[in-house]
Amino acid sequence: QTVVGVVAVFLMKMEPGRHLPRLRLRGLEESTLYSVEELFPNRSRRDVNTGAITLGSGPAQWNTGKKSLRVTGATLMRAGIPIRLSFDGDSAAFVLRKVKVDFPEFANIPRVQLHPTK
């Protein structure tokens, strides 16, 4: 797997009642499979009585639901990566790798274009 890049996101200021948009990447190859690995999980815990956040005391919470996933470039550019940052100064970091998929028996199958250009 070839490392394509490292993506880092930081929450400067949380606005109450607002959800963060998905992180949509650019410049990827649509039909290429990529591995997205989150480098460190959010381990904060919010006290349900006071709302106070305690850092490092909770279970691992991955933005994508798990430490890593494989997805196409088209999905990363259109749907993006869900980002769940909890407090001012919170952050997430991902390593993006190009996955080599070698299935010679599928080499001659035509590709379907999902969104034809006009």
Side-chain angles (χ1 to χ4, degrees):
Q1 295 182 347
T2 304
V3 174
V4 176
V6 176
V7 179
V9 292
F10 302 91
L11 181 60
M12 301 303 287
K13 182 176 181 179
M14 185 67 162
E15 295 181 32
R18 301 236 11 207
H19 293 283
L20 295 173
R22 287 175 168 259
L23 179 64
R24 290 182 179 88
L25 304 180
R26 292 190 266 173
L28 302 177
E29 298 168 12
E30 289 194 357
S31 61
T32 297
L33 189 63
Y34 293 90
S35 167
V36 179
E37 180 185 356
E38 191 167 354
L39 295 177
F40 49 88
N42 181 342
R43 292 190 181 275
S44 64
R45 181 183 298 244
R46 185 178 294 274
D47 184 308
V48 294
N49 296 316
T50 65
I53 295 173
T54 306
L55 302 178
S57 65
Q61 301 171 50
W62 305 100
N63 278 285
T64 60
K66 54 187 173 178
K67 181 174 176 54
S68 66
L69 65 118
R70 289 184 174 188
V71 65
T72 64
T75 300
L76 288 169
M77 291 189 293
R78 292 187 185 115
I81 302 170
I83 301 297
R84 292 187 299 258
L85 302 178
S86 303
F87 52 90
D88 294 352
D90 199 359
S91 62
F94 304 90
V95 174
L96 187 65
R97 292 181 175 90
K98 190 182 285 189
V99 177
K100 183 178 182 202
V101 180
D102 191 14
F103 297 111
E105 63 272 16
F106 297 120
N108 296 323
I109 294 177
R111 304 264 186 232
V112 176
Q113 188 173 3
L114 298 176
H115 298 284
T117 56
K118 295 179 181 178

